Each structure stands twice: as C-alpha cells, then as structure tokens.
C-alpha cells in the first residue's frame, strides 16, 4: 500500500435535508393546527351566542317608545335571564330578587327603585334610563352566562 493514498475507511453520510420534515414533526404540526382550529371555533360560537343575546336585549328595548315601558321591559328581560340561569328564581320578590339580580349591590338604590315591580314612574329622566339600561345589559349577559359555568 502506498503512503500517498488518503485513507478512506470511515465516511460520514450526507447531511439530512431540512425539507420535508420527518413524519413525527408533521403529525405534531397537524395536531397543533387542529387544536387551534377547535379553540377558534369554540371562541367564535361563544362570541356569536353572546352577540345574539345582546341583540335580543336591544331589540326588545327598541320596541319601547316610553321610558316607563322601557324600564318594564328591562325588568322582564332580567326575570327571563334569571329563569334561564336558575329556574324558579324569576318568582323571587323584593330583597331576595335583588340579591339574585344584583348580589354585589352595584345599582344605586335610586335607580333600583325604577325597576321595582309595580313602581309608579310619572316622569323618568333619560340619563337615568340610559344608566339602568347599560347596567341591565351587563347583568342580563352575566346571568345568561351563569348557566354555562
């Protein structure tokens, strides 16, 4: 054997190509895409359900022409949401009803009296009705979501 010949007894294989990835990586990627699609679909369905509930709330109030009729409609919507969240709670009265509808007491007493059952409302300020409407919209949605938990 000649001393000028290079030794070639150990040869490394060629480097693996970066594309296409191994099947394991493809399965992991597919599983991740599937999980993301399922989560996005669940989020979209929840978002659409909330939008439909709020749309029903707004449509009911859009039909009211007077402030007193709007307040009565708000009280009815809150009773409907309470029945949906906990069947039987729509029949509660007075303090028990307010404990169910407003457990943290976020609605001031002056505005709470506007929603009282059978309350006489000779002249109601539009700003008070608007504040009651925004509070009731949030509580309506919260009560409807309680059943989902």
């Amino acid at each position: 054997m000649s001393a000028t010949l290079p030794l070639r007894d150990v040869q490394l294989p060629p480097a693996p190509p970066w594309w296409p990835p191994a099947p394991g990586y493809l399965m992991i990627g597919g599983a991740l895409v599937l999980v993301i699609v399922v989560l996005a679909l669940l989020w979209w369905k929840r978002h659409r359900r909330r939008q439909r509930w709020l749309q029903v709330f707004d449509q009911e109030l859009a039909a009211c022409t007077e402030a007193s009729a709007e307040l009565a409609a708000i009280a009815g919507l809150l009773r409907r949401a309470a029945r949906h969240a906990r069947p039987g709670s729509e029949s509660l009265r007075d303090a028990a009803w307010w404990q169910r509808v407003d457990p943290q007491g976020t609605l001031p007493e002056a505005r709470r009296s506007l929603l009282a059952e059978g309350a006489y409302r000779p002249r109601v300020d539009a700003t008070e009705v608007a504040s009651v409407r925004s509070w009731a919209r949030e509580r309506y949605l919260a009560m409807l979501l309680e059943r989902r938990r």
Side-chain angles (χ1 to χ4, degrees):
M1 194 148 169
S2 168
T4 59
L5 292 176
L7 296 175
R8 296 183 182 255
D9 56 342
V10 176
Q11 287 196 353
L12 294 175
W18 65 274
W19 191 261
Y25 289 120
L26 288 176
M27 288 189 291
I28 290 172
L32 283 176
V33 167
L34 183 65
V35 166
I36 290 171
V37 166
V38 166
L39 289 176
L41 182 65
L42 290 174
W43 175 86
W44 182 77
K45 285 176 65 174
R46 178 180 292 166
H47 178 74
R48 287 298 305 151
R49 183 176 54 232
R50 288 180 182 185
Q51 291 302 319
R52 275 185 270 131
W53 286 339
L54 292 177
Q55 188 177 26
V56 166
F57 185 88
D58 293 337
Q59 285 174 350
E60 288 259 346
L61 296 184
C64 300
T65 57
E66 297 179 0
S68 59
E70 185 172 348
L71 290 170
I74 288 172
L77 284 165
L78 289 175
R79 289 215 178 266
R80 191 183 313 162
R83 182 180 62 233
H84 181 78
R86 289 188 194 155
S89 64
E90 74 277 3
S91 63
L92 297 173
R93 300 282 179 242
D94 299 328
W97 166 248
W98 284 109
Q99 181 60 34
R100 172 69 189 104
V101 173
D102 190 18
Q104 282 84 24
T106 57
L107 187 65
E109 187 62 39
R111 293 194 176 115
R112 184 179 282 196
S113 65
L114 293 173
L115 290 175
E117 191 172 327
Y120 175 66
R121 304 174 192 97
R123 190 90 172 130
V124 181
D125 189 24
T127 57
E128 288 184 12
V129 173
S131 66
V132 168
R133 183 186 319 118
S134 66
W135 173 85
R137 196 171 198 257
E138 291 173 12
R139 284 304 302 154
Y140 177 77
L141 185 61
M143 282 194 290
L144 288 174
L145 290 173
E146 279 180 19
R147 186 167 184 135
R148 302 288 184 238
R149 294 179 186 153

